Amino acid sequence: MTTKLFGEPVRRREDARLITGKGRYLDDIGAQALAAAFVRSPHAHARITDIDVEGALDVEGLVAIYTYEDLTGPMAEPLPVLIPHPQLHAPRTGYPLANGEVNHVGEPVVMVVATDRYIAEDAAERIVVSYEELPVVVGVDAARDAAAAVHEEIPDNVAARHHQETGDVEAALAGSPRTLSFTQYIERSACMPLEGKGVHARWDPADASLRVYSSTQASTSVRAAIAAKLELSLEDVEVIAPDVGGGFGVKIVHPWPEELLVPMAAIRLGHEVKWAEDRREHFIGSAHERQQRQEITVGFDDEGRITALDVHAWHDNGAYTPYGIIVPIVTATQLVGPYAIPVYRVVVESVYTNTVIVTPYRGAGRPQGCFAMERTMDRIADVLGLDRAEVRRRNLIQADQFPYDHHLTFQDGRPVIYDSGDYPGLLAKLEALVDWPGIEERRAEAASRGKLLGAGMALYVEGTGPGPYEGGHVQVLGSGKVLVSTGLTSQGQGHETSFAQIVASELGVPIEDVEVTTGDTRRFPYAVGTFASRAAVMSGNAIALAARGVREKALRIAAEVLEADPDDLEIADSVVGVKGTPGATIPLRTVAVLSNPLRYAFDEAAKQATQFARAGSDDKPPVAEGDAPGLEHRDYYSPIRSTFASGAHAAVVEIDPTTWEIDVVSYAVVHDCGNVVNPMIVEGQVHGGVAQGVAGALYERMAYDADGQLQNASFMDFLMPYASEVPDVVIDHQQTPSPLNPLGIKGAGEAGVIPGTAAIASAIEDATGRRIASMPISPTELYDVMRSPNAELTAAAGRRTGVGA
Amino acid sequence: MKLDGSAVLHGTPEQVWSVITDPAVLARTIPGCESLRLTGPDEYEMNVSVGVGAIRGTYAGAVRLTDQQRPTSYVMHASGAGAPGNARAKVLISLAADGDGATTLTYSADAVVGGPVAGVGQRMITGVAKRMAGQFFSAIDGELTSPVTVPAVEEPRASSAAVSSTTAPAAEGVTAGTCAAPAPQVFTGGKAAASAGAQVDLRSFMLGVASGGILTAWGVALGYLLGRRRSG
């Protein structure tokens, strides 16, 4: 058909709006709203002994002050454990407002509502909260030592002990020609969307209904949570995600305390209330990710083939576990990557610390898993003196082994069965793209300039598009406009473009006629949310199925009018016609009009559908049995299991041996997400992911001191990379369609971030000859490694004279 | 909502009694009192215009006494409504000589605040109520310690009035006088406070809030007045 847009690099339709200030973000809503501000805990662990609001009473414009005592019914109970799991034996969640104890700096204690945010902040400043400080637990090792407990009744600080194994790892290790054991660390970072969280709520007392705008990744579930917590009927609550300035995972968590408290205040005060998170609040009051300690033992033969892998990791989950153990599970199951591991055992202990909660951040445990697996490959290659690409190649799952069952259980409770892929293909493309054999030449050239050059690579497999389901609704109006909606939300991924491409292609209409709405419970009340690289796979397929339903109905109606067989009809450029018979056509918009038999001709188009305009058969009802008025269809896509995308990254770094500045001079990506809806958008996702990967490897970390104070809670001190720090990325694509869904697509949202830390650590190690076992790494830390007498030299360094000595 | 407090008044119980039962004194010591009228045995009506910080309004209240154990204790039932909100308070008041020529008055109130105003948060309501009580007792103490009306703020002793939970609030409320009316005006009725201009759109749900606390304060005062009439 002429409007085949699927697979085309269509420019993002939403960008004109978003980059010219016409976006409508949370803080653009509710100019007349009262403003909320929060008194947050300055202590990482303490008992609240008193809250004195006297000083705030004199602040002109103060409206209300809420503490835990004002919370009633379900609001007075702990926040939900969103994703319970049998191995999460000691889950804990906080309260919307602290109930006598605080477990991290930034935990909300008092909510103040005033005529504007400035006044609310002034009043909040004058509220005196007295605390009795308690011992503080910071960092995964402190949690492990358990000298102090975050939650009194959990003395070992262990929330969960996630355990999976595919065979007798002890025996397999004992029988292995060679084994290696090592420990490594990866630090905390965070999503850092440019727009923080935010909530606006308006209560209509006349019909007792609540409308909430929230900068969220899961409007339907926020709606359900608000209804449950505020004891409202679901149909009396609507939640809308307006334009959202980035999510990256932090906004999938819900209900945030503010998402419940702001609506509560709006109802109690009978006045709209708004809260927009400021940057410091986001640092100390939202969520982080990534910190793990990993103890790895690997068995392998003299050719570098892995015989057994035993991983014991400790995962810092922060003060509470609202999102269950999703991140530990993802680390445990995605760690194996593209490799065939004969026997695998993994234990991840999820431990409490007096720090901000840990929930999925783009990659969601995969970067840690990739770091563990890929660094293991590097060590095997180093010991055997083999090329790092060769060792990987020898362990790869082969293209003819799909579907490949790892005998593990994924984060969606489904088996980890890779649906399709070509990993040797990825590796071959990567070696060509980065000129892997040419690295030694570049190393020598750099050395002649007094620079240390090194290269590293990392491969990954990413489970994407987990269920349970998403839905789509497509409707053709009499005007010819095509309305598309899905409940899943958008945070800048370009859904208005890619979903429109899918509908335009399936329905045979110009993309200009297609209007896409996401994340609005008024338009589509059933959805799960935007996470785990699932939007294109889940909503994309649901929308495609809905469009196919519309097409079928359109052809059926047109067939009657054209007196033809539906199978002989086609739709192109919004016109239904008989294949190969010019002239015998009817516009799709007319079909839409006819699909809704009318009595009243409210406009010219409507006339054609009125009862005296059509010579319908007298023995058939105007709306056929089992049919419905209107040219629309609603459908759902529910996958049997996740579909597994894959990729391979290579980084080349150049290090200045005087300043130990680390410069990523080349970055190559080979990416496979099955069929691609819009290659331009996929590449954009990859670029953004790589930026966050480089950030996590070299710049971003959460600098907590021993007292649990976050010392870099601002963009002055938290080093988010500029374009100047993000390398140019060269990308090559490979397409192994997924057999699991109608469009054959796989997720692409998180891919770019996953291998960054592993590849760059490998490159730095290759350049310096010193073992890099903790990431991220700064020039200062690298300097310390270089001058430390205890720093471990790599075998490669020994074999290479001069370099890194 | 529970509200407890006490005040040390500088006079013997008898002196306190005579001062605190003088309608003229009450009219100028009850924060924001505009009128005070006897409507029947043990029953009074009053109009007050009160305000602290962002919370201001005009309010009509009624008070009734029971369980009088003169001169040591009685129970005061105060109730009333402003258009936007209403409040009901049951207050147990007791008097005790504290040995060195002073009297300790203790009150324990159980107040129910209704209407939109109930939505502003317990600590905010009790905070205002305690401040009102503190201002009232500071004013009474001012009456006790000088024959003519002298702003309690000028009195060193004033800050010692309304001790325990209400000490700090009282002292601060009277001396600071930022958003609340200046101290002298507090004694001459709440009009100043009321006219200090609360946000129009917020005013509605601020009215009743004060009443929850203020009722408690008046109740304490009216209790004495009614108690005296019975005895006399």
Side-chain angles (χ1 to χ4, degrees):
Chain A
M1 56 185 70
T2 59
T3 41
K4 185 67 180 173
L5 284 169
F6 188 100
E8 294 301 311
V10 177
R11 293 177 73 90
R12 291 168 36 119
R13 312 164 77 204
E14 47 270 270
D15 286 353
R17 185 177 89 256
L18 296 178
I19 66 182
T20 56
K22 296 193 175 66
R24 183 165 175 261
Y25 297 92
L26 193 283
D27 209 19
D28 296 321
I29 297 165
Q32 301 310 311
L34 297 174
F38 291 85
V39 177
R40 297 176 182 274
S41 171
H43 301 297
H45 196 194
R47 273 190 204 86
I48 298 169
T49 56
D50 183 50
I51 300 174
D52 180 4
V53 305
E54 173 65 23
L57 298 178
D58 293 322
V59 177
E60 191 69 50
L62 170 67
V63 175
I65 298 174
Y66 301 104
T67 62
Y68 177 78
E69 301 152 357
D70 296 302
L71 306 183
T72 56
M75 279 293 280
E77 295 163 13
L79 292 162
V81 177
L82 281 176
I83 308 175
H85 189 287
Q87 291 176 338
L88 177 58
H89 63 268
R92 290 293 181 276
T93 52
Y95 294 82
L97 290 169
N99 176 19
E101 183 179 328
V102 287
N103 285 297
H104 69 83
V105 170
E107 193 164 354
V109 178
V110 182
M111 177 169 72
V112 175
V113 179
T115 49
D116 68 41
R117 180 65 175 267
Y118 301 96
I119 292 170
E121 297 281 356
D122 288 350
E125 213 166 69
R126 296 173 68 162
I127 292 172
V128 180
V129 182
S130 307
Y131 298 92
E132 174 196 337
E133 292 186 55
L134 297 167
V136 175
V137 179
V138 175
V140 67
D141 284 335
R144 216 166 139 254
D145 300 345
V150 173
H151 302 286
E152 216 172 2
E153 66 286 5
I154 309 173
D156 63 358
N157 290 316
V158 178
R161 197 162 182 284
H162 181 61
H163 174 207
Q164 296 199 44
E165 62 182 64
T166 64
D168 184 349
V169 81
E170 313 279 353
L173 283 172
S176 299
R178 292 162 172 270
T179 62
L180 265 175
S181 293
F182 59 97
T183 298
Q184 59 182 20
Y185 291 86
I186 188 164
E187 243 300 348
R188 271 192 179 216
S189 187
C191 300
M192 276 316 135
L194 284 187
E195 181 199 28
K197 293 179 276 140
V199 187
H200 171 274
R202 195 180 68 214
W203 172 252
D204 181 341
D207 71 350
S209 70
L210 181 72
R211 175 181 295 181
V212 177
Y213 289 91
S214 182
S215 187
T216 180
Q217 292 174 229
S219 50
T220 52
S221 196
V222 169
R223 177 195 188 202
I226 289 173
K229 282 290 191 179
L230 299 182
E231 297 175 287
L232 297 167
S233 170
L234 191 64
E235 70 268 19
D236 293 334
V237 181
E238 56 197 36
V239 174
I240 301 148
D243 283 322
V244 172
F248 308 106
V250 66
K251 296 175 183 177
I252 190 62
V253 182
H254 63 278
W256 285 103
E258 302 89 354
E259 279 176 321
L260 299 173
L261 293 165
V262 169
M264 180 195 83
I267 292 170
R268 291 195 186 178
L269 299 175
H271 196 293
E272 59 182 314
V273 178
K274 177 169 81 178
W275 168 77
E277 184 177 61
D278 68 32
R279 188 53 56 182
R280 178 172 163 76
E281 281 183 301
H282 188 74
F283 269 99
I284 65 173
S286 60
H288 301 160
E289 213 223 88
R290 303 271 199 260
Q291 189 180 50
Q292 284 183 6
R293 170 197 171 99
Q294 305 175 331
E295 292 181 359
I296 299 163
T297 298
V298 60
F300 55 101
D301 63 22
D302 296 336
E303 281 67 50
R305 288 188 180 77
I306 291 180
T307 51
L309 182 63
D310 189 14
V311 176
H312 191 173
W314 285 264
H315 167 82
D316 170 6
N317 62 223
Y320 303 110
T321 53
Y323 212 73
I325 54 172
I326 290 302
V327 175
I329 295 174
V330 171
T331 296
T333 53
Q334 301 269 267
L335 188 146
V336 291
Y339 307 109
I341 310 293
V343 186
Y344 173 54
R345 176 174 68 183
V346 61
V347 173
V348 184
E349 299 194 44
S350 190
V351 295
Y352 287 108
T353 59
N354 291 110
T355 55
V356 170
I357 60 170
V358 166
T359 65
Y361 155 36
R362 194 180 200 176
R366 295 177 186 86
Q368 299 94 311
C370 184
F371 184 55
M373 187 75 253
E374 294 298 307
R375 300 298 286 140
T376 300
M377 288 294 173
D378 290 339
R379 290 194 183 235
I380 292 171
D382 189 50
V383 166
L384 298 176
L386 292 170
D387 176 73
R388 287 168 291 167
E390 182 54 32
V391 168
R392 286 172 166 83
R393 186 175 298 109
R394 290 174 184 176
N395 286 284
L396 288 174
I397 294 164
Q398 297 304 304
D400 60 7
Q401 288 179 274
F402 293 92
Y404 186 88
D405 188 347
H406 269 293
H407 303 291
L408 297 168
T409 303
F410 197 40
Q411 57 127 327
D412 56 2
R414 300 290 180 129
V416 178
I417 299 175
Y418 293 174
D419 50 333
S420 66
D422 177 4
Y423 308 144
L426 286 176
L427 184 53
K429 280 173 176 281
L430 182 72
E431 287 182 281
L433 195 60
V434 75
D435 185 18
W436 189 254
I439 293 299
E440 287 311 319
E441 208 171 301
R442 289 179 68 178
R443 192 196 311 279
E445 185 278 331
S448 71
R449 289 182 286 111
K451 297 287 175 66
L452 301 175
L453 182 141
M457 64 168 55
L459 283 65
Y460 69 90
V461 172
E462 179 196 9
T464 69
Y469 72 87
E470 285 298 336
H473 179 259
V474 175
Q475 177 177 24
V476 181
L477 302 180
S479 64
K481 278 259 172 268
V482 181
L483 304 183
V484 178
S485 68
T486 184
L488 157 157
T489 62
S490 302
Q491 302 85 43
Q493 298 92 333
H495 294 159
E496 286 176 47
T497 305
S498 36
F499 291 160
Q501 282 179 258
I502 291 170
V503 171
S505 298
E506 293 288 341
L507 209 50
V509 300
I511 195 167
E512 295 71 24
D513 289 348
V514 183
E515 292 175 4
V516 176
T517 302
T518 63
D520 184 337
T521 63
R522 298 169 302 179
R523 288 289 302 278
F524 205 99
Y526 290 94
V528 181
T530 302
F531 60 92
S533 307
R534 70 192 295 279
V537 177
M538 301 304 300
S539 284
N541 279 290
I543 287 168
L545 292 174
R548 290 174 189 182
V550 168
R551 183 171 191 276
E552 184 193 340
K553 182 170 187 177
L555 295 186
R556 198 175 71 237
I557 294 166
E560 288 177 25
V561 179
L562 300 172
E563 290 166 339
D565 183 325
D567 297 341
D568 299 336
L569 300 180
E570 65 180 357
I571 308 177
D573 293 327
S574 298
V575 175
V576 188
V578 183
K579 292 173 194 161
T581 312
T585 64
I586 177 173
L588 192 60
R589 65 171 186 283
T590 308
V591 175
V593 169
L594 297 180
S595 71
N596 180 21
L598 295 170
R599 181 175 182 82
Y600 308 113
F602 44 78
D603 66 11
E604 271 310 305
K607 251 189 215 169
Q608 308 168 66
T610 53
Q611 56 207 22
F612 299 105
R614 303 177 64 183
S617 147
D618 291 344
D619 47 26
K620 269 194 286 175
V623 175
E625 269 181 45
D627 207 346
L631 185 50
E632 64 179 321
H633 188 69
R634 178 183 306 269
D635 213 329
Y636 294 86
Y637 172 61
S638 182
I640 183 78
R641 70 182 77 94
S642 295
T643 173
F644 290 80
S646 56
H649 291 204
V652 179
V653 301
E654 209 171 88
I655 296 166
D656 182 328
T658 51
T659 62
W660 298 101
E661 184 80 36
I662 303 160
D663 184 11
V664 181
V665 292
S666 308
Y667 202 100
V669 174
V670 183
H671 185 256
D672 186 345
C673 60
N675 293 338
V676 173
V677 180
N678 182 324
M680 190 188 289
I681 285 178
V682 167
E683 291 202 0
Q685 286 286 351
V686 170
H687 287 150
V690 168
Q692 282 180 313
V694 170
L698 298 177
Y699 304 106
E700 298 177 353
R701 74 185 65 215
M702 291 297 164
Y704 274 104
D705 68 10
D707 300 317
Q709 298 293 336
L710 187 56
Q711 299 182 303
N712 63 338
S714 80
F715 281 162
M716 291 285 286
D717 304 304
F718 179 85
L719 302 181
M720 188 181 278
Y722 297 128
S724 51
E725 280 73 46
V726 180
D728 294 334
V729 182
V730 289
I731 302 180
D732 192 1
H733 290 279
Q734 173 177 287
Q735 293 194 9
T736 55
S738 171
L740 299 182
N741 61 72
L743 298 177
I745 58 183
K746 301 177 178 183
E750 296 167 283
V753 78
I754 297 168
T757 292
I760 290 171
S762 183
I764 295 170
E765 190 169 283
D766 183 47
T768 62
R770 300 298 195 289
R771 191 73 67 201
I772 304 300
S774 182
M775 291 292 277
I777 187 164
S778 67
T780 312
E781 289 164 323
L782 179 55
Y783 174 60
D784 293 340
V785 168
M786 297 310 293
R787 63 206 269 261
S788 161
N790 313 327
E792 182 190 352
L793 259 76
T794 61
R799 285 186 292 268
R800 248 187 356 241
T801 53
V803 183
Chain B
M1 178 177 56
K2 302 271 183 244
L3 181 63
D4 304 318
S6 66
V8 174
L9 300 171
H10 295 79
T12 62
E14 279 315 308
Q15 290 171 308
V16 170
W17 196 263
S18 57
V19 171
I20 206 161
T21 52
D22 174 348
V25 173
L26 289 171
R28 58 175 187 261
T29 52
I30 294 172
C33 179
E34 286 171 343
S35 68
L36 193 142
R37 194 161 59 88
L38 178 66
T39 54
D42 295 0
E43 286 185 10
Y44 265 74
E45 271 182 4
M46 68 176 57
N47 289 318
V48 290
S49 176
V50 296
V52 168
I55 298 175
R56 295 199 180 77
T58 317
Y59 188 90
V63 174
R64 184 171 51 84
L65 293 212
T66 62
D67 312 292
Q68 299 176 50
Q69 303 295 330
R70 280 184 7 243
T72 56
S73 75
Y74 65 93
V75 176
M76 182 273 306
H77 307 264
S79 70
N86 55 75
R88 203 172 63 251
K90 180 180 177 186
V91 191
L92 170 65
I93 292 127
S94 41
L95 262 184
D98 72 0
D100 58 4
T103 300
T104 298
L105 178 148
T106 309
Y107 63 92
S108 169
D110 190 349
V112 179
V113 179
V117 353
V120 304
Q122 294 182 38
R123 281 180 186 265
M124 184 148 163
I125 294 173
T126 54
V128 171
K130 285 182 175 180
R131 174 177 295 189
M132 288 295 163
Q135 289 172 348
F136 170 69
F137 291 121
S138 300
I140 288 294
D141 206 51
E143 296 285 340
L144 282 167
T145 51
S146 67
V148 293
T149 304
V150 174
V153 65
E154 308 291 311
E155 294 288 330
R157 295 196 196 81
S159 59
S160 69
V163 293
S164 78
S165 63
T166 62
T167 299
E172 194 184 298
V174 175
T175 53
T178 49
C179 289
Q185 288 172 296
V186 172
F187 305 143
T188 56
K191 295 181 196 63
S195 63
Q199 309 284 334
V200 176
D201 59 322
L202 302 179
R203 189 186 179 108
S204 59
F205 47 78
M206 289 166 182
L207 294 171
V209 174
S211 58
I214 202 64
L215 269 175
T216 312
W218 313 324
V220 174
L222 284 174
Y224 295 119
L225 185 58
L226 297 172
R228 175 166 179 272
R229 286 184 52 79
R230 277 188 141 204
S231 64

